[in-house]
């Protein structure tokens, strides 16, 4: 019997910012299991987030199965298939995951043309395949006036993975776990 496990959860707040994470996927940098896994990310709004003000999350529907996805993954340094030894500095492009717009403006425009943005109410959930392209949306000027310059829009994310998914040794947001050789290959 295959079951799910909680891989990671995070409470986040989004306020006024100059820069945001552009079109990306939850690659190994964000998701420390074998890249062939089909994990699910649940994005839960804790505040009202109308699309017209920004501050939410945009998705590119069906991009995890699109014909152009491999080119897009390569552009931002995402690695959908990895060697058994995991990731190393030579197999990952740290710092490029969120940079689609500057690395490939044409691909970025194509993904942008397919985007969906939603009006979120507290408790609304968005479920995404880990390899679906998505991005944060900057709060626009009208949103800053509506929310006030000092407010922060809150959300909670939960990443679920199959119980048999294996942790990779290498670089990501959980280095204290992943760099420990005793954890390599554990599920």
């Amino acid at each position: 019997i295959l079951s799910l496990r909680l891989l990671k959860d995070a409470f986040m707040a989004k306020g006024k910012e100059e820069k945001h994470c552009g079109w990306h996927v939850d690659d190994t940098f964000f998701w420390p299991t074998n890249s062939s896994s089909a994990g699910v990310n649940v994005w839960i709004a804790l505040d009202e987030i109308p699309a017209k003000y920004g501050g939410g999350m945009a998705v590119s529907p069906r991009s995890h199965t699109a014909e152009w996805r491999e080119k897009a993954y390569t552009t931002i340094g995402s690695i959908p298939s990895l060697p058994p030894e995991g990731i190393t500095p030579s197999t990952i492009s740290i710092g490029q995951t969120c940079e689609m717009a500057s690395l490939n403006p044409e691909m970025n425009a194509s993904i942008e043309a397919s985007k969906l943005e939603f009006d979120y109410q507290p408790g609304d959930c968005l479920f995404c395949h880990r390899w679906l392209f998505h991005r944060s949306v900057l709060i626009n000027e009208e949103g800053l006036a509506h929310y006030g310059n000092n407010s922060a829009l809150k959300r909670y994310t939960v990443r679920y993975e199959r119980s048999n998914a294996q942790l990779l040794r290498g670089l990501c947001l959980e280095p204290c776990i992943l760099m420990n050789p005793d954890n390599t290959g554990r599920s």
Side-chain angles (χ1 to χ4, degrees), residues 17 21 41 56 58 71 75 91 110 119 182:
E17 55 192 354
C21 190
N41 192 355
K71 182 177 180 183
T75 296
T91 60
S110 178
D119 292 318
D182 293 337

Side-chain angles (χ1 to χ4, degrees), residues 74-92:
T74 301
T75 296
I76 58 175
S78 294
I79 306 166
S81 58
L82 296 172
E85 64 272 12
I87 53 177
T88 66
S90 66
T91 60
I92 191 167

Side-chain angles (χ1 to χ4, degrees), residues 17-92:
E17 55 192 354
E18 302 298 319
K19 189 172 162 87
H20 68 106
C21 190
W23 290 109
H24 68 284
V25 294
D26 290 334
D27 58 17
T28 307
F29 187 71
F30 291 109
W31 201 289
T33 63
N34 47 316
S35 56
S36 62
S37 73
V40 174
N41 192 355
V42 183
W43 191 94
I44 305 165
L46 301 178
D47 287 319
E48 182 180 352
I49 307 173
K52 70 179 183 177
Y53 297 139
M57 184 165 74
V59 297
S60 175
R62 295 177 293 285
S63 56
H64 64 298
T65 59
E67 290 183 20
W68 47 262
R69 72 185 183 279
E70 296 295 333
K71 182 177 180 183
Y73 297 154
T74 301
T75 296
I76 58 175
S78 294
I79 306 166
S81 58
L82 296 172
E85 64 272 12
I87 53 177
T88 66
S90 66
T91 60
I92 191 167

